[in-house]
Amino acid sequence: MKLSAKRILSNPVHCLAFGFGSGLAPKAPGTFGTLAAVPLFLLLSYLSLSEYIFVVIFASIVGIYFCGQTAKDLRVHDHPGIVWDEFAGFWITMIAVPVSWWSVLLGFALFRLFDIWKPWPIKWVDQHVHGGLGIMLDDVLAGLLALGVLHLLIGLIS
């Protein structure tokens, strides 16, 4: 399938998988996808903690379908432009984090670090789990690792 912005954005599943178009960035689409997740996180931060967690779990589960179907349609496993996994991973990073400019910046940096670096078990999952689950799971794990480190740092600062 030919990859064009029009074709991606006109299909709702592909549009979501490509992070509302943020994954179409010619360089560092994962970083642009994570940046696009920030304003949505700021809106989601007004939810109660239980509502926020529900939305994050729901986004992660439906992301398996969005990312898997888009990869299948494009015939490219984990196309770099598929960034819904970055959305979910960043939102996981920010669970129960007090919202401030520095917490968002630190959460962003930690999530991108673990998503790019892929320490064990993230790297193993990235290499061995395929389809939509594989696309999502490595970023979910990166988000969980970033979440732990972020809460540890917040605890040390407080």
Side-chain angles (χ1 to χ4, degrees):
M1 170 185 269
K2 184 173 180 345
L3 181 65
S4 71
K6 182 179 178 182
R7 189 167 201 136
I8 293 297
L9 297 176
S10 66
N11 180 313
V13 170
H14 297 173
C15 182
L16 288 165
F18 270 70
F20 307 102
S22 60
L24 293 169
K27 298 219 189 244
T31 299
F32 279 93
T34 307
L35 280 172
V38 171
L40 293 172
F41 159 72
L42 295 173
L43 289 173
L44 292 171
S45 71
Y46 287 100
L47 299 173
S48 70
L49 180 58
S50 59
E51 292 168 332
Y52 181 87
I53 291 171
F54 174 81
V55 169
V56 171
I57 290 170
F58 181 77
S60 299
I61 292 169
V62 298
I64 295 168
Y65 171 72
F66 297 156
C67 297
Q69 188 61 51
T70 301
K72 181 180 171 188
D73 291 349
L74 297 176
R75 297 184 182 107
V76 177
H77 172 69
D78 205 358
H79 185 285
I82 296 174
V83 295
W84 186 258
D85 50 333
E86 272 80 11
F87 277 58
F90 177 71
W91 295 340
I92 289 167
T93 300
M94 301 306 291
I95 292 173
V97 172
V99 179
S100 68
W101 68 268
W102 68 266
S103 67
V104 171
L105 184 63
L106 189 54
F108 177 89
L110 286 168
F111 173 68
R112 291 306 300 144
L113 172 71
F114 293 126
D115 187 32
I116 293 166
W117 176 30
K118 297 192 187 316
W120 185 91
I122 300 166
K123 186 174 192 134
W124 186 91
V125 167
D126 185 54
Q127 294 172 342
H128 294 93
V129 182
H130 304 288
L133 180 62
I135 293 169
M136 287 297 299
L137 191 54
D138 68 311
D139 286 73
V140 166
L141 292 174
L144 289 170
L145 189 53
L147 168 69
V149 171
L150 184 56
H151 277 275
L152 182 67
L153 292 172
I154 290 169
L156 290 173
I157 293 168
S158 301

